[in-house]
Amino acid sequence: MSVKEGTLAPTLMFQGTASDVGKSVLTAALCRILTQDGLRVAPFKSQNMSLNSYVTPDGKEIGRAQGMQADACGIAATTDMNPILLKPKQDMVSQVVVHGKPLRDYDFRSYREKYAAEAEHVVRAALHRLRERYDIVCIEGAGSPAEINLKDRDIVNMRLAGWADAPVVLVADIDRGGVFASLVGTMEILTPEERERVKGFVINKFRGDVTLLQPGLDWLEQKTGKPVLGVIPYMRDLGLEDEDSASLDAKLGRGRREPARPDQLDIVVLRLPRLSNFTDFDPLFAEPDVAVRYVTSPDEWGTPDAVIVPGSKNTVEDLLFLRQSELETRVLEWAASGGYVLGICAGYQMLGRRLLDPELVESDKPELEGMNLLPVETVFATEKRTERIAGFSSLFEHGEQAITGYEIHMGRTRFLEPVSHPFRIRIHDVRNLREPYHPDGVVTANGRILGTYIHGILHNDGLRRSWLNAIRAAKGWAPVPEAAPFQHLREAAFDRLAAHVREHLDMARIYAMIGLERS
């Protein structure tokens, strides 16, 4: 199946009655299903607000969800798939990233008044290019289309659906309650033209006996004149990354703070207020001998086996949070006792001696003392580094291990005395194959305190298992010989998700909406 050359590809759009109803995952599922059916598929989200970002092969930054959806399609992600990314820095202020590069910081009102018109041109051009290149574009909306105070300059929901001539599937999360009220209420607020564009509903995250729900489904269809296209049962332990901290908060609320079993390593991640790129830790959840806990206060500290200081969109403010909450004291006591500490990106910067911000890029503080666990200092620059990298690790005695990952940071870190570097890396880009390797990070002499700029470092199966086995050895435990094959598990998760959604979604009607025939 393919679209005739010279015509624009059809589109299909998932909108939701609220944030975190499952639009991102359902879009990924449909991307995989249509790819399995032989179509060339691309995802699209015009504007994303997330601190969980993804670096494209050409070193640009987009929302993590669209990177994941591109992976589900089996294609390389581009900034056309998410041309505008908003990265919250403070309350009401976000860094605006356009086609993968920072434009400037805007507060919400200024963004709407000064940039919204330009944003519309950026979005429409990106979508047009995708529709020229692919057989179908699966579009994800943002939040709810019923935000009447935002509709006049909307570039993410119904106005976008009009530009794309997209049939809309409205998604509601039954797990949070009020599913019929949210669907009917949303439809009531839409204009007649917008209601006409909605072609059906999907009820997501259902738990229980669907026959007990049937009277409600019948009422909904009679009330609105729109079909229910599917009731998607809740999938436990899907194994795919979350888009943003709202999803993470929901995950934590469903029991992810459970203590480690006696045969598991207890890994603590500091839950920073501006936590970013928390997908760094997803591979740890796949390891049977590991339990991961997110900690927000000293009362939750417990007796960890290792502590991770993660990435942050505002290093200075989150370091002050750790200081004021006394979590920094716990980290320092833990490190002094010989405990394992891993700092990634902003966490690496916090472990150093000083944070310098002469141009006030990060905050209103030109200088701040760090935790002084590593002999480095960081100067914040106006230019952001976003690159995919590849290289080698020399952390462990059994020789160098190949690694990959990515960098996203404003700071430049310098070494204040001779140090041991755990990694040698260079840009992972065919245009830079001759670039020399350069050192990254610092590791202490005992190997227990480690800082690095490499996001995704724990996605390297061999290195992850070597690090975990070093922690096991410190406890007197035998090593685990094999790592969980994370990328294989992730691909299997895409297929499992696609099979699950295909079973419960009316694909015949979906194809009819798209205007394509199934082969």
Side-chain angles (χ1 to χ4, degrees):
M1 294 178 289
S2 64
V3 175
K4 290 182 180 179
E5 192 168 341
T7 64
L8 290 180
T11 57
L12 180 70
M13 188 172 192
F14 283 116
Q15 295 185 23
T17 57
S19 296
D20 196 35
V21 298
K23 298 186 296 291
S24 295
V25 171
L26 286 173
T27 302
L30 191 63
C31 283
R32 189 66 156 204
I33 290 169
L34 297 176
T35 299
Q36 290 172 340
D37 289 352
L39 289 164
R40 295 176 301 134
V41 189
F44 181 76
K45 186 168 184 175
S46 57
Q47 176 180 284
N48 209 338
M49 178 174 281
S50 177
L51 290 178
N52 211 24
S53 50
Y54 181 102
V55 174
T56 62
D58 59 347
K60 305 293 178 58
E61 187 179 12
I62 64 173
R64 187 80 199 178
Q66 282 61 63
M68 176 190 73
Q69 291 158 3
D71 291 344
C73 297
I75 59 175
T78 70
T79 61
D80 278 344
M81 297 171 187
N82 176 213
I84 299 177
L85 173 63
L86 307 180
K87 303 193 75 175
K89 294 182 68 173
Q90 304 167 14
D91 291 343
M92 300 300 294
V93 176
S94 293
Q95 180 186 69
V96 178
V97 178
V98 179
H99 277 297
K101 293 297 182 182
L103 175 67
R104 57 163 295 176
D105 293 351
Y106 277 106
D107 63 62
F108 184 69
R109 180 178 294 277
S110 297
Y111 177 76
R112 279 177 54 81
E113 293 176 353
K114 298 179 180 179
Y115 190 69
E118 177 63 24
E120 176 179 331
H121 294 302
V122 170
V123 164
R124 296 180 73 156
L127 177 60
H128 187 87
R129 286 190 291 270
L130 289 178
R131 295 182 70 189
E132 288 180 318
R133 293 176 55 199
Y134 291 91
D135 294 332
I136 180 168
V137 179
C138 295
I139 304 175
E140 178 189 342
S144 163
E147 304 292 350
I148 55 176
N149 56 312
L150 304 178
K151 288 179 68 172
D152 62 323
R153 297 186 186 180
D154 165 46
I155 62 170
V156 294
N157 285 313
M158 280 300 178
R159 286 180 76 224
L160 172 61
W163 304 334
D165 193 24
V168 172
V169 176
L170 189 60
V171 181
D173 176 3
I174 196 170
D175 200 36
R176 65 175 63 190
V179 68
F180 298 115
S182 64
L183 286 167
V184 172
T186 298
M187 293 293 287
E188 286 294 319
I189 290 174
L190 298 181
T191 67
E193 294 78 12
E194 291 167 344
R195 285 196 290 272
E196 178 61 27
R197 193 165 288 284
V198 176
K199 303 304 180 185
F201 306 125
V202 168
I203 294 177
N204 198 24
K205 307 180 190 177
F206 178 71
R207 306 170 193 248
D209 182 350
V210 72
T211 62
L212 299 178
L213 188 64
Q214 192 60 50
L217 304 181
D218 295 339
W219 175 88
L220 179 64
E221 292 188 341
Q222 183 177 17
K223 174 73 175 177
T224 63
K226 306 290 182 179
V228 176
L229 301 169
V231 176
I232 312 299
Y234 176 74
M235 280 192 81
R236 191 176 302 278
D237 298 325
L238 174 59
L240 293 172
E241 54 263 49
D242 293 305
E243 177 180 25
D244 53 32
S245 56
S247 300
L248 178 62
D249 289 338
K251 179 188 288 185
L252 293 178
R254 290 195 290 264
R256 298 303 288 263
R257 294 177 183 268
E258 296 169 355
R261 301 191 311 263
D263 62 339
Q264 287 181 311
L265 297 174
D266 183 18
I267 309 293
V268 158
V269 178
L270 302 186
R271 174 65 162 94
L272 304 174
R274 297 159 189 85
L275 172 66
S276 69
N277 294 84
F278 54 82
T279 50
D280 281 343
F281 320 116
D282 283 356
L284 294 174
F285 288 98
E287 297 288 355
D289 67 323
V290 171
V292 180
R293 291 186 296 121
Y294 284 86
V295 165
T296 58
S297 73
D299 294 340
E300 300 168 336
W301 185 263
T303 55
D305 295 306
V307 174
I308 299 176
V309 189
S312 165
K313 189 63 190 76
N314 193 313
T315 308
V316 169
E317 293 298 325
D318 277 349
L319 177 56
L320 291 173
F321 161 77
L322 295 179
R323 197 156 283 164
Q324 293 159 3
S325 68
E326 299 186 1
L327 275 170
E328 180 190 38
T329 301
R330 292 299 182 98
V331 174
L332 295 175
E333 292 172 347
W334 172 247
S337 71
Y340 280 84
V341 180
L342 170 60
I344 300 176
C345 198
Y348 171 33
Q349 296 169 347
M350 293 180 199
L351 298 183
R353 289 181 186 167
R354 284 182 297 277
L355 301 171
L356 304 175
D357 193 3
E359 299 186 55
L360 303 182
V361 172
E362 183 86 356
S363 72
D364 59 358
K365 295 175 176 57
E367 182 172 346
L368 185 67
E369 182 181 352
M371 295 190 197
N372 200 22
L373 293 176
L374 297 174
V376 301
E377 69 178 17
T378 297
V379 179
F380 293 106
T382 55
E383 183 178 352
K384 180 183 285 190
R385 178 177 171 85
T386 58
E387 300 289 356
R388 286 197 178 192
I389 63 91
F392 299 92
S393 165
S394 55
L395 268 174
F396 303 102
E397 295 180 356
H398 43 70
E400 288 193 325
Q401 295 172 296
I403 60 167
T404 60
Y406 61 99
E407 294 185 48
I408 306 177
H409 54 92
M410 304 289 285
R412 302 295 183 265
T413 295
R414 56 196 181 203
F415 312 109
L416 303 179
E417 60 187 59
V419 297
S420 294
H421 300 291
F423 309 116
R424 292 186 301 116
I425 62 173
R426 67 183 180 187
I427 297 172
H428 187 41
D429 187 324
V430 293
R431 297 167 298 175
N432 294 279
L433 290 179
R434 296 182 181 178
E435 182 190 58
Y437 288 97
H438 63 271
D440 169 81
V442 178
V443 62
T444 54
N446 65 3
R448 299 198 176 195
I449 301 177
L450 168 64
T452 177
Y453 269 122
I454 305 173
H455 288 291
I457 191 64
L458 294 174
H459 286 66
N460 295 280
D461 293 343
L463 182 138
R464 180 178 71 254
R465 178 38 60 190
S466 295
W467 183 66
L468 294 172
N469 280 342
I471 300 170
R472 290 177 65 90
K475 292 171 64 70
W477 293 4
V480 172
E482 297 290 337
F486 185 73
Q487 191 57 38
H488 174 77
L489 293 173
R490 188 167 181 267
E491 281 296 307
F494 280 131
D495 288 338
R496 188 169 65 253
L497 171 65
H500 180 76
V501 173
R502 191 191 287 270
E503 179 183 356
H504 298 284
L505 188 63
D506 189 338
M507 287 304 302
R509 278 180 164 169
I510 293 293
Y511 268 100
M513 285 180 204
I514 299 168
L516 296 175
E517 293 184 3
R518 300 178 68 174
S519 59

